[in-house]
Amino acid sequence: MRAARLIKMVLLLQARPSMTGAELAEELEVSERTITRDALALSEAGVPVYADRGRAGGYRLIGGYRTRLTGLGRSEAEALFLSGLPGALRDMGLDDAASAARLKVSAALLPSVSNASESAAQRFHLDAPGWYQEPRTPELLPAIAEAVWEDRRIRAEYRRQDAEVERELEPYGLVLKAGVWYLCARADGTFRVYRIDRFSSAEVDGSFFERDEDFDLPGFWEKRAAQFARSILRAEVVLRVTERGAARLPYLTDRAAAGEALESAGPPDAEGRLTLTLPVESHQVAFGQLFALGPEVEILQPPELREQFAETAERTARLYR
């Protein structure tokens, strides 16, 4: 633990001209007294750490000293490729590895580009969770993530709608979609998708599995996501929609289904409205989605949904009279 901290301290000082004891203590999550002892230990080991006294003082390396301890370990290299996802790294327990990797890269750069990481971080940021919801990190995510990195099987209990089932899984990859974590895993020779917050237990059994080198995580996820989105569209609504309503329709309902419905619609009528058949999850869900269009949409079928629209519109009109 201390050896890793000393290396990190040297890398920090190599990446910056000077740092105060308070800054080093904050970066390394120790006390300033510990920083003083670590600086002394580095000096005794031959690392030229110089301490400037006074209010504007701090620690710096002298004589153009540069460490050669910049080789990336495997976990650091893997974490570096995810460094644009700080929240995801933290959730998976990889933030320390990513921090060490970034420091090593910074230490290996020429002084003229040593601030490249800070420059990029101030210009680009990825916020994965969706709006209007508080992201929650599943308790079992770090253990499952470790099994994914190491290609180790896990024995898990998974909550389904009707029961809790036990599964032996070969965890291939993790996906973060709109703030929800999913595991893509092989069970009984078939690849499936599991929501990690539905695991009640997940134990790494210690045995390794041989990965299918042809497995493509992005391609698999794209295909399964499209299948899922299409599978829940079990009902249909026939409607007339204005040009303005047609433009908003893909933002209120399933985008792919709305696009296909609009493409297959015939020419507009005398009022400029398109008549189309829209696949929806259910008529109740469709009511919540389509009522937002107000007078830009008219429901033709089914009759019960048309009646619900008419009744709600009448009650709304009475309210505002």
Side-chain angles (χ1 to χ4, degrees):
M1 179 68 74
R2 190 190 184 198
R5 188 176 71 243
L6 292 175
I7 293 173
K8 192 172 182 179
M9 182 174 176
V10 174
L11 292 172
L12 283 168
L13 293 175
Q14 182 172 314
R16 307 179 192 180
S18 177
M19 294 184 70
T20 65
E23 290 172 338
L24 284 168
E26 183 179 357
E27 286 278 359
L28 300 176
E29 299 181 350
V30 294
S31 66
E32 290 189 48
R33 181 172 294 183
T34 299
I35 294 299
T36 301
R37 289 198 296 264
D38 286 352
L40 180 60
L42 287 171
S43 295
E44 293 175 348
V47 178
V49 177
Y50 180 77
D52 290 317
R53 303 288 183 180
R55 180 176 299 178
Y59 295 89
R60 60 187 175 86
L61 295 174
I62 61 176
Y65 179 86
R66 298 187 69 82
T67 179
R68 295 184 179 180
L69 298 174
T70 53
L72 292 176
R74 181 175 181 84
S75 64
E76 294 168 345
E78 290 169 336
L80 186 61
F81 285 100
L82 295 172
S83 58
L85 297 166
L89 285 168
R90 183 176 58 253
D91 293 347
M92 291 188 290
L94 293 172
D95 47 346
D96 285 342
S99 175
R102 286 192 293 268
L103 280 171
K104 289 183 177 182
V105 170
S106 297
L109 294 174
L110 293 173
S112 59
V113 293
S114 61
N115 67 337
S117 60
E118 296 178 9
S119 176
Q122 292 303 319
R123 287 163 172 80
F124 301 100
H125 177 68
L126 176 60
D127 186 8
W131 291 102
Y132 314 120
Q133 60 180 349
E134 185 69 25
R136 296 182 180 179
T137 303
E139 183 178 348
L140 296 173
L141 177 60
I144 295 175
E146 183 177 356
V148 169
W149 285 117
E150 298 180 355
D151 295 339
R152 291 181 180 269
R153 294 183 178 87
I154 59 175
R155 288 193 174 93
E157 294 182 350
Y158 187 74
R159 295 187 299 273
R160 299 173 61 180
Q161 292 182 351
D162 52 348
E164 190 169 272
V165 297
E166 293 185 1
R167 291 285 186 269
E168 183 174 296
L169 303 174
E170 296 177 353
Y172 267 67
L174 294 168
V175 175
L176 177 60
K177 171 71 171 180
V180 180
W181 283 95
Y182 296 88
L183 172 67
C184 301
R186 184 166 59 183
D188 301 324
T190 303
F191 287 102
R192 297 184 174 90
V193 176
Y194 302 86
R195 276 186 61 143
I196 292 185
D197 57 8
R198 292 181 183 170
F199 283 106
S200 56
S201 69
E203 179 183 352
V204 181
D205 69 6
S207 63
F208 294 91
F209 66 90
E210 186 174 347
R211 294 181 67 91
D212 181 352
E213 297 300 330
D214 293 330
F215 178 77
D216 173 28
L217 179 60
F220 171 77
W221 175 259
E222 182 179 4
K223 182 178 179 180
R224 288 301 298 267
Q227 290 175 347
F228 172 77
R230 187 54 60 93
S231 70
I232 64 175
L233 303 179
R234 301 188 179 98
E236 289 185 343
V237 175
V238 181
L239 52 89
R240 293 173 69 231
V241 63
T242 65
E243 182 179 355
R244 182 178 178 184
R248 294 179 58 195
L249 192 63
Y251 299 96
L252 297 172
T253 63
D254 182 85
R255 182 179 294 271
E260 293 176 6
L262 289 168
E263 287 181 5
S264 60
D269 59 20
E271 297 179 3
R273 292 177 176 254
L274 294 173
T275 300
L276 53 93
T277 301
L278 178 69
V280 294
E281 184 174 345
S282 68
H283 292 153
Q284 193 59 39
V285 170
F287 173 79
Q289 294 171 332
L290 297 175
F291 196 76
L293 290 175
E296 307 301 329
V297 66
E298 178 189 1
I299 305 299
L300 302 179
Q301 296 288 340
E304 59 271 19
L305 183 60
R306 180 180 174 87
E307 292 174 6
Q308 185 179 8
F309 265 74
E311 179 186 352
T312 305
E314 187 176 336
R315 289 169 53 200
T316 303
R318 286 201 304 266
L319 180 65
Y320 284 94
R321 284 195 185 107

